Each structure stands twice: as structure tokens, then as C-alpha cells.
Amino acid sequence: MLVVQKYGGTSVGSTERIRAVADRIASTASAGHAVVVVVSAMGHSTDALVDLAAELADSPDLREMDQLLATGEQVSAALVAMRLLTMGIQAKSLTGWQAGIATEPVHGNARVSQIDTRVLQNLIANGTVPIVTGFQGIADGEVTTLGRGGSDTSAVALAAALGADVCEIYTDVDGVYTTDPRVVPNAKKLDDISYDEMLELANLGAQVLHPRAVENAKHFAVQLVVRSSFTEGDGTNVVAMTENRMEGRRVVTGIAFERHVARLAVVGVPLEEHALAAIFSSLAENGVNVDVIVQSVVDEVAVDVSFTVNESDLGRAVEVVSALQPSLRFRKIEREAPLAKVSIVGAGMISNPGVAAQMFVALRDAQVPIHMVSTSEIKVSCVIPADLVEKAVQALHKTFIEADMVTPLTNV
Ligand code: ADP
Ligand code: ASP
Ligand code: MG
């Protein structure tokens, strides 16, 4: 078998942890499997690098930021390789570019465009374990990074390019849970989850997998498993479809949340101004990512448009929208932060119309006001006050998971 193993920050967070990781790699290799390892930076060292940069520059140059952040993974890769060598296991650390990982020429959030696997194939053929730095690649000779949490994506991309039998993501929890176990201690570990549900959870804030890792795993049919590097266990398999889902059981599979949400409302835009087109084109041109959008028509003469952005983009969003005042002639801009977004996700809700209603009832009963709502086939998201996020997640977990409901309430 060819196995790709990715170890996250906590898993390589100390020399003691690196010893344990090396032991695991060694036992996989000595069981006769070819192993390619992908590592994250040690512990919170990427955050520490971000903090250093912030001390010296308000908005650091993006190229230099990538040069800086890419160093974190070089430390852990070299240390893991070094440890394996002392154990008599042939190993060699490689940076993203040495491993042939090419990305689009964007700094800070680059997508992998191509992988030249020749170097890795040679190492594997020689019985050497490549230890590849996650989170980075190269574009036009420049170091690029894949976005925070991007080592998962490096691992899946390598697994796809190498045709690996399995891609194992080792982290500090023993699988994907029904929600973040740090917020709900009795969250349940899932034995399996579909790519689509995992993708929604990841996109909606569940940190355990980088969204693009799931997207790529689905696209290239990579067998993906999430496990703990601290314990033994089967972990969670991310799969195409599970039996559970077929008969609509497990209506809600998981609950995700995101903090640092901000809402902006553009109030009283004359109807004839086509506010949506103008506002969102301008935001897109200025690189502001918009999430939930609501437009309401007031008395058939004006519209109110409100939308959410990441809190860190709020200032820029206000600037962009304010610049449109002369042409849009809106009455005022309102802003609201900090907010949060809680979401329920489950393929089973496609055929269960009562689920959104049940979510609203649960939040009402928990006295959590809902500011905005957005839905898709397999999720419902509510924007709520930030300080109520834990309470909301716990209430939703009780309603949808702990009650082990299989059919939705129809009478609310
Ligand atoms: P790593 O450094 O290994 O990449 P991360 O911190 O990125 O680890 O992701 C693991 C963390 O994700 C867990 O410690 C947990 O708090 C959080 N998490 C959020 N939602 C979930 C979930 N549904 N299942 C498991 N973990 C989750
Ligand atoms: N070290 C990077 C980060 O902290 C990448 C990763 O851990 O996946 O975002
Ligand atoms: Mg991670």
C-alpha cells in the first residue's frame, strides 16, 4: 500500500510528540507500506510568525508573508526526518517546491495547480520516506502558501497525484465529531461522513479539515480518514455516501459554527438603482468575500440590503460601500459586530422540510435571537450574537443529535 500521512500542528507540537509521530511512521513503514508524510508547523508556531509580522507591518507584504510562514513547516519536516534517520529509517525532508508542488501564482491562499511527482516517486522507489512540508508550493519561482489550515490540502493533493491507497489525517481529536468537542463535550464521533456533508461542515467553520482538502478528496476519489495521533482507533472515514444516509436517517449529521462574523446593512436604496449588482460587484472587485445576503423591498420604493462579511473585512466593506453613496443614494449604512454563524448540516434534510423550523424553535427556546438565515439543500445557517454561540451550538446538538431524532417535527 501507498499511504499518505498528514500530521497537524499539535501532533508535532514538541520533541516528545515528534518522537511519537516518528514511531508511528516507522511502524507503518516496517509493516511493508510505502509512506509519504506531510507535516504542519509545530504547535502554534504559524500564529507566532503572524504575530511577529504584525509587530513590524500593519499589512505585511504578501510575498514576504509567504516566505515567512513557509518556514514553520520546514522546522517540523526536518525534525521528523532527523528523528527517523536516528531510528535507522531512511527519510528525507522536502519543501513544497522540492516535492514538486506547483500552485497558481497567488500569495496567501494559492490553489495547487500541478504536482510533479518524479522526486517523490524516486524516493519511494528507493525505500526512503519523504517528509513534505504542508501548506506550501511554488509558482513562477516564488514560495506560495495555501491558506491557513492548508496542510490537509497538501496531503490530499499528494495522495491524488501519487495514486495513494489512503490519505490519513492525524490530528488532536480521534475523528470528525457531530460538533466541535471543545464546545460540546458529549459530541459524538462519527464513523463515517459523506464528502458533501464534510465539505459543508468545513466550509461552515469546522476546523478539523481544510475545505479544499475535502473538495479535492471528493473530486479525485481519495480515500480520506481522520484519526488521532495520540491514540489508536479507526477514526472517521470520509466517503462518497453512507448507508445511513440512504433512508434519510441521521437528518442532521453535524453542527458547525463560525465566529468573527459582521453584518452590514445598506438602508434605503431607491428601487431603480439595482443596488445588489452595484454593491456586490464593487465588493468583489475589492476582494471582500461576502457570505449571507438578504434584500428586502420597502413599500415598493426602496430596498434594504444586508450581508455578512468576516469581521476582519468590515472596515474595507464599509469603505467600498460608502464610496457608492453618490450613485446609489442610500439613506445610511448600519454595521453590527461581533456576530457568529451556527449551521446544521445533513444530507438527510433534503427530504425533511421541517428541519429549518425545528432549528428556529430550538434557538427560540434557548433565547438566541436570529438575525439572518441562509439555507441550501443540506444545511441551514443562522447568524446570531457572538456571545451566544456556545449556547446555540449546545441547544442545537441537544435537539438534533442527542435526541437522536430520525424524523423531523412537523407540528411546531
Ligand atoms: P491540526 O493542527 O491537526 O490540523 P486543527 O486544530 O486544525 O488540527 O483541527 C482539529 C480541531 O478541530 C479539534 O481540536 C477541534 O477542536 C476542532 N473541530 C471543530 N469542529 C470539529 C468537528 N466537527 N469534529 C472534530 N473536531 C472539530
Ligand atoms: N501551519 C499552517 C497553519 O497553521 C498550516 C496547517 O497547519 O495546516 O495554518
Ligand atoms: Mg488543521
Side-chain angles (χ1 to χ4, degrees):
M1 286 228 302
L2 172 57
V3 182
V4 172
Q5 296 186 335
K6 179 258 168 177
Y7 293 94
T10 319
S11 301
V12 292
S14 63
T15 49
E16 192 197 348
R17 291 302 312 150
I18 288 177
R19 278 172 205 268
V21 161
D23 288 346
R24 190 182 290 270
I25 297 166
S27 71
T28 312
S30 38
H33 303 305
V35 196
V36 173
V37 175
V38 175
V39 287
S40 287
M42 290 176 73
H44 297 289
S45 60
T46 310
D47 290 332
L49 293 171
V50 171
D51 292 347
L52 280 178
E55 279 184 35
L56 296 168
D58 284 340
S59 50
D61 182 81
L62 294 177
R63 177 196 182 269
E64 299 308 331
M65 202 62 189
D66 275 356
Q67 287 279 110
L68 176 69
L69 297 192
T71 61
E73 272 70 12
Q74 290 185 37
V75 172
S76 48
L79 291 172
V80 171
M82 223 174 258
R83 177 67 193 164
L84 284 166
L85 287 167
T86 65
M87 296 165 68
I89 307 272
Q90 281 188 67
K92 184 175 182 180
S93 68
L94 301 168
T95 62
W97 69 266
Q98 288 173 320
I101 302 175
T103 73
E104 53 180 20
V106 178
H107 286 297
N109 203 18
R111 288 177 162 265
V112 176
S113 50
Q114 211 179 342
I115 301 185
D116 178 347
T117 56
R118 280 174 299 181
V119 171
L120 291 174
Q121 300 279 17
N122 280 336
L123 290 172
I124 295 167
N126 279 336
T128 300
V129 180
I131 314 292
V132 182
T133 54
F135 175 58
Q136 58 192 270
I138 192 159
D140 306 332
E142 298 286 351
V143 173
T144 52
T145 61
L146 311 188
R148 296 303 306 272
S151 295
D152 299 331
T153 297
S154 308
V156 170
L158 283 173
L162 292 166
D165 295 283
V166 59
C167 180
E168 301 171 339
I169 305 289
Y170 286 96
T171 182
D172 55 4
V173 276
D174 59 358
V176 178
Y177 277 69
T178 46
T179 191
D180 190 337
R182 289 184 214 209
V183 171
V184 178
N186 55 348
K188 293 182 194 151
K189 198 203 77 157
L190 298 164
D191 292 334
D192 54 49
I193 184 167
S194 69
Y195 289 122
D196 290 331
E197 290 168 312
M198 191 61 238
L199 188 55
E200 285 284 2
L201 284 176
N203 272 323
L204 293 167
Q207 206 191 333
V208 63
L209 283 175
H210 193 235
R212 279 174 14 230
V214 187
E215 200 180 301
N216 284 308
K218 180 184 176 190
H219 189 256
F220 295 104
V222 172
Q223 198 191 322
L224 190 60
V225 44
V226 179
R227 313 208 156 108
S228 167
S229 69
F230 292 75
T231 57
E232 298 301 319
D234 291 338
T236 301
N237 290 301
V238 187
V239 297
M241 183 48 96
T242 64
E243 273 179 26
N244 274 347
R245 231 54 43 76
M246 292 198 159
E247 290 301 326
R249 296 195 58 235
R250 233 163 61 172
V251 173
V252 171
T253 301
I255 297 157
F257 56 90
E258 209 180 299
R259 301 174 205 265
H260 310 297
V261 173
R263 186 179 75 96
L264 217 146
V266 189
V267 180
V269 197
L271 199 54
E272 66 273 16
E273 298 296 350
H274 298 284
L276 287 176
I279 292 171
F280 295 106
S281 306
S282 196
L283 287 167
E285 279 158 23
N286 287 282
V288 177
N289 256 326
V290 174
D291 186 13
V292 184
I293 301 173
V294 175
Q295 172 174 259
S296 46
V297 178
V298 185
D299 294 338
E300 289 179 32
V301 292
V303 297
D304 293 347
V305 176
S306 52
F307 56 92
T308 62
V309 294
N310 191 286
E311 215 177 339
S312 61
D313 281 342
L314 180 60
R316 209 142 41 97
V318 171
E319 266 171 38
V320 171
V321 176
S322 301
L324 296 173
Q325 214 295 322
S327 57
L328 286 185
R329 299 175 290 126
F330 51 80
R331 204 150 48 74
K332 60 175 176 176
I333 297 177
E334 284 171 3
R335 52 171 110 184
E336 195 180 8
L339 295 167
K341 187 173 77 170
V342 287
S343 309
I344 55 172
V345 172
M349 67 174 76
I350 295 178
S351 50
N352 285 289
V355 179
Q358 206 171 4
M359 179 177 192
F360 305 150
V361 170
L363 292 177
R364 178 196 65 196
D365 292 350
Q367 294 182 313
V368 175
I370 300 169
H371 294 217
M372 294 166 104
V373 176
S374 103
T375 66
S376 79
E377 276 190 328
I378 65 165
K379 65 114 183 175
V380 185
S381 300
C382 294
V383 176
I384 62 168
D387 58 338
L388 297 178
V389 66
E390 268 100 7
K391 194 175 172 190
V393 171
Q394 284 154 8
L396 294 173
H397 196 266
K398 252 201 187 86
T399 301
F400 289 105
I401 313 272
E402 288 163 49
D404 200 21
M405 57 154 273
V406 279
T407 46
L409 209 69
T410 45
N411 233 334
V412 291

